[in-house]
Amino acid sequence: MAVSVPSELTATGQGALNGMRQAGSALGVAVLGTLGTLPGAGGVLIVIGLVAVVLISRARARS
């Protein structure tokens, strides 16, 4: 997203990208917090955590 904006709007594009990242993080925390309150959701949270670890490690291995 930041590279697709014209050079005179670079700061605006970067700000929009950071805003979307923050909104996504807040939404993710809210969803996981809600799942944590459901009965029997402990296993689901563990699976989600393991999937996140695998995805992050693969992304870091590529770069």
Side-chain angles (χ1 to χ4, degrees):
M1 182 169 145
V3 296
S4 64
V5 298
S7 59
E8 63 271 4
L9 297 174
T10 303
T12 303
Q14 191 64 36
L17 177 63
N18 287 336
M20 293 299 289
R21 285 182 180 169
Q22 290 177 359
S25 296
L27 182 61
V29 168
V31 168
L32 290 177
T34 302
L35 283 176
T37 63
L38 299 175
V44 173
L45 291 176
I46 290 172
V47 170
I48 290 172
L50 290 174
V51 169
V53 167
V54 168
L55 291 176
I56 291 170
S57 64
R58 284 187 179 178
R60 288 189 178 178
R62 285 187 212 159
S63 54

